[in-house]
Amino acid sequence: FLRLLGLNSLNELPANQTLEVYFQADDYAELLRQLQQNGEVREREIQLQRADGSRCWVKITKSFTRYKEFKIIDGLIEDISDRKASEQEREQLLYQEQIARQEAELQKRRLLFFAEANRLLTATLDYQNALVNVARLVVSAWADWCFIDVMEPNSVDFHPSIVAAFDPEQESLLHSLRNSYQPSADSSVGIPKVLNTGEPELAEVVSDKLLAAFAQTESHFDQIRQLHPQSYMIVPLIARDTKLGVMTFVSCRLEQRYNSTDLNLAIELAQRIALAIDNARLYQEAQQANRLKDEFLAIVSHELRTPLNSILGWARMLKRGQVNEAIFKRAIETIERNANAQNRLINDL
């Protein structure tokens, strides 16, 4: 036993020091307890600290007996440090393999989630309906509540907020709260802050102090608190350096508190949503431009055709030669007037 500790005899122990210092505190206490209760120590594996500070594992393979009046123990101790090192190495490999499998499974779920989100965002050019479907996808896999607030084009006003919740009753209540309490534009937290800074906001833990910063009245605070939000993320929707709105994720479960990894995924999803909104709006603008162009061409065609028809009509009459001097003069004046009118139209174009 002394050799395992790196000692040749008890005389090498520093003054006033016992062998207790070479044991782990919990192991030593358990050894004493078993000796006091049973008069022996059952087979056990423990870790010792050698005189040079290194550690070794030992196995008690024979019961230790404590003599009546002496602190002397008798038994057999086997050095199992090599076996323990092999076991720890094997456990470490198994742990790393488990982590790798978990990461692979997580990555698979992420890919499936984003694939489904992309499908929903590209399935229709009606981005409002697409956002409703994406919000429901989020609460089915990633959050208890999801809000998407999109700003009107070239405006600071919002479309009606898209609200999705895992619990249908909570969804109805959240709709009511969002309609009753609009966030103050100068708020230091939440949507106003994210819109003003363009930076995401992550609250890993939602405290009462933080809820108070959101609440606009005492009743509002009580209503939010009763819903038990535990963690949230708010990320901006930005496309082509233009802020289009914000997206909010809320967890009501203690076991699901958002972290920086979740925030990065939320940012990636928000970027895809912002791109879909921007593309849909660009398409709508192009369609509107085409309609305006068609209307413009129809008006121009009508305006050009009107004087031209008059010119052609009088020209054909003159060509037939069946006109008197008064009609001839009137025809020339009419042709000239309509030609000038047409010339002005062309100049305006």
Side-chain angles (χ1 to χ4, degrees), residues 139-180:
V139 298
S140 71
W142 197 6
D144 292 292
W145 314 339
C146 179
F147 308 125
I148 304 179
D149 295 276
V150 179
M151 301 170 68
E152 297 279 0
N154 305 315
S155 172
V156 295
D157 296 325
F158 286 92
H159 289 296
S161 180
I162 293 172
V163 178
F166 191 78
D167 184 339
E169 291 185 5
Q170 282 195 353
E171 184 172 315
S172 177
L173 179 57
L174 291 169
H175 267 294
S176 177
L177 287 174
R178 293 302 295 271
N179 291 333
S180 301

Side-chain angles (χ1 to χ4, degrees), residues 25-270:
D26 291 344
D27 289 333
Y28 190 78
E30 179 62 19
L31 287 172
L32 289 181
R33 188 190 66 79
Q34 289 191 18
L35 283 171
Q36 290 169 354
Q37 290 184 355
N38 307 318
E40 66 177 10
V41 176
R42 301 180 188 280
E43 185 173 296
R44 185 179 179 84
E45 294 181 357
I46 62 174
Q47 195 175 34
L48 301 175
Q49 180 171 307
R50 294 189 179 99
D52 62 3
S54 62
R55 295 181 182 275
C56 67
W57 280 94
V58 299
K59 180 180 180 181
I60 302 171
T61 57
K62 183 179 180 182
S63 63
F64 277 45
T65 303
R66 179 178 177 178
Y67 294 116
K68 295 180 180 179
E69 62 274 6
F70 302 102
K71 294 182 178 179
I72 299 174
I73 54 178
D74 180 34
L76 181 62
I77 296 180
E78 177 186 0
D79 186 349
I80 58 171
S81 298
D82 291 341
R83 175 169 67 79
K84 277 291 185 179
S86 297
E87 289 177 357
Q88 289 175 349
E89 183 179 356
R90 184 166 60 253
E91 289 174 359
Q92 183 65 23
L93 290 174
L94 290 173
Y95 175 75
Q96 292 175 349
E97 182 181 348
Q98 182 182 10
I99 293 298
R101 285 199 300 268
Q102 291 174 350
E103 284 292 330
E105 182 62 27
L106 179 60
Q107 184 64 17
K108 178 182 177 181
R109 291 200 300 269
R110 288 172 182 169
L111 291 174
L112 291 174
F113 175 85
F114 280 111
E116 179 62 12
N118 285 338
R119 186 190 69 79
L120 294 173
L121 290 170
T122 57
T124 175
L125 288 169
D126 182 358
Y127 69 83
Q128 287 287 340
N129 283 335
L131 295 184
V132 170
N133 292 331
V134 170
R136 299 204 177 283
L137 175 66
V138 168
V139 298
S140 71
W142 197 6
D144 292 292
W145 314 339
C146 179
F147 308 125
I148 304 179
D149 295 276
V150 179
M151 301 170 68
E152 297 279 0
N154 305 315
S155 172
V156 295
D157 296 325
F158 286 92
H159 289 296
S161 180
I162 293 172
V163 178
F166 191 78
D167 184 339
E169 291 185 5
Q170 282 195 353
E171 184 172 315
S172 177
L173 179 57
L174 291 169
H175 267 294
S176 177
L177 287 174
R178 293 302 295 271
N179 291 333
S180 301
Y181 300 99
Q182 294 298 323
S184 174
D186 58 355
S187 176
S188 60
V189 296
I191 292 174
K193 178 186 175 184
V194 172
L195 281 177
N196 289 333
T197 64
E199 296 295 330
E201 180 174 304
L202 168 64
E204 295 186 17
V205 178
V206 177
S207 63
D208 283 353
K209 182 179 179 180
L210 185 55
L211 286 181
F214 278 96
Q216 298 180 21
T217 66
E218 187 173 339
S219 174
H220 188 204
F221 173 82
D222 290 338
Q223 287 176 295
I224 300 175
R225 196 168 184 269
Q226 288 172 8
L227 293 171
H228 306 295
Q230 300 296 328
S231 182
Y232 73 77
M233 301 180 290
I234 304 177
V235 292
L237 304 175
I238 300 176
R240 294 186 297 142
D241 297 324
T242 300
K243 297 172 186 174
L244 305 179
V246 294
M247 186 172 187
T248 305
F249 307 75
V250 180
S251 171
C252 297
R253 287 168 284 176
L254 290 171
E255 68 275 13
Q256 184 182 27
R257 295 190 186 277
Y258 295 127
N259 54 35
S260 57
T261 300
D262 296 307
L263 183 62
N264 289 332
L265 293 174
I267 291 171
E268 181 179 350
L269 178 60

